[in-house]
Amino acid sequence: MAIVALLIVVVAFVVGGIWVAVGVSVVAVLAEAGRRLWGAHRAARVADERWRHQDAVAAGRRRTLAEVDALTGTQFEELVADLCRGDGCRQVRRVGGSGDNGADVLCRLPDGRTAVIQCKRYAPTRKIVPREVRDLLGAKTHFAADVAVLVTTSTFSRQSTAFALDNGILAIHRDFFGLWNQGIPLARLALLNGTGQGRTRTRRRSISDRE
């Protein structure tokens, strides 16, 4: 583009003299400046549209609880792994399956601590029993993890909730999972561990009180 503009200026100088060449030069400079400004504006607009598209896609991936209920166990584990990544966790990997030693997802939390996560995609009416929480405690020891989390689409029995609290296990029941799936970080839900199960109004008030 610059070579073409230079040739035009030279021709203008030969044909019309210095003032014609100066005029042509000014026009060429203004035209180039306008082209670059338009290019920058277009690039910014394209980048903004790309960001909005990605944000819309991300929002569209947030399934309703009814849709989560229809997932397979493996799909639920993948969803939990994606939620961990969305929270800023690193080294996230799904390890669920035969011989998983009680872990479905392993990751490193944003604060640097390691976490072992057990996923239970159960029917909403089914309860997590103490044995399942004890199994997770064993997985925490096996993987030498700093944090243990049990995530379920159902609820915890009173005894399993008490066991989780006594042993520092984060119990993410159906209500909390719904909030996590809608964008509330796991770290905020951890402040309410052992509460909120099945009491939406109280749960939301508690979260706002801690903001």
Side-chain angles (χ1 to χ4, degrees):
M1 186 70 182
I3 295 175
V4 173
L6 179 60
L7 288 174
I8 292 174
V9 171
V10 171
V11 171
F13 177 76
V14 172
V15 175
I18 184 64
W19 293 113
V20 174
V22 170
V24 171
S25 298
V26 171
V27 172
V29 169
L30 291 176
E32 179 64 14
R35 187 186 68 82
R36 292 190 178 186
L37 286 174
W38 171 252
H41 172 74
R42 179 179 175 80
R45 188 176 62 183
V46 170
D48 181 66
E49 290 176 352
R50 183 182 300 115
W51 177 84
R52 292 179 185 277
H53 173 72
Q54 291 173 344
D55 186 63
V57 170
R61 286 177 181 160
R62 292 174 186 163
R63 298 178 173 90
T64 65
L65 285 176
E67 291 172 329
V68 172
D69 289 336
L71 298 178
T72 66
T74 298
Q75 289 171 331
F76 182 60
E77 293 166 8
E78 292 287 0
L79 175 57
V80 170
D82 284 341
L83 291 174
C84 289
R85 295 185 185 98
D87 275 0
C89 298
R90 296 173 286 116
Q91 301 173 17
V92 181
R93 59 191 180 98
R94 190 187 71 81
V95 294
S98 178
D100 61 11
N101 293 304
D104 291 320
V105 176
L106 297 174
C107 67
R108 186 173 293 276
L109 301 174
D111 61 11
R113 292 180 298 167
T114 56
V116 56
I117 303 175
Q118 180 65 249
C119 306
K120 300 292 186 184
R121 196 216 44 80
Y122 287 164
T125 55
R126 181 171 174 177
K127 289 186 179 296
I128 298 294
V129 297
R131 173 183 54 79
E132 293 172 301
V133 187
R134 284 196 296 269
D135 290 344
L136 177 57
L137 188 61
K140 178 184 178 183
T141 301
H142 176 82
F143 289 98
D146 299 311
V147 179
V149 186
L150 201 158
V151 183
T152 184
T153 52
S154 63
T155 57
F156 290 77
S157 69
R158 182 178 302 175
Q159 295 82 358
S160 59
T161 298
F163 185 89
L165 291 174
D166 289 343
N167 291 276
I169 294 174
L170 179 53
I172 300 298
H173 49 69
R174 185 179 183 84
D175 290 344
F176 279 178
F177 176 77
L179 293 174
W180 189 22
N181 188 46
Q182 291 303 314
I184 293 183
L186 192 63
R188 288 183 62 186
L189 297 176
L191 299 175
L192 303 173
N193 194 25
T195 67
Q197 186 166 268
R199 300 179 62 185
T200 304
R201 185 175 302 173
T202 301
R203 183 191 66 238
R204 288 177 178 169
R205 186 183 301 117
S206 299
I207 289 176
S208 61
D209 289 343
R210 293 175 181 267
E211 290 179 343

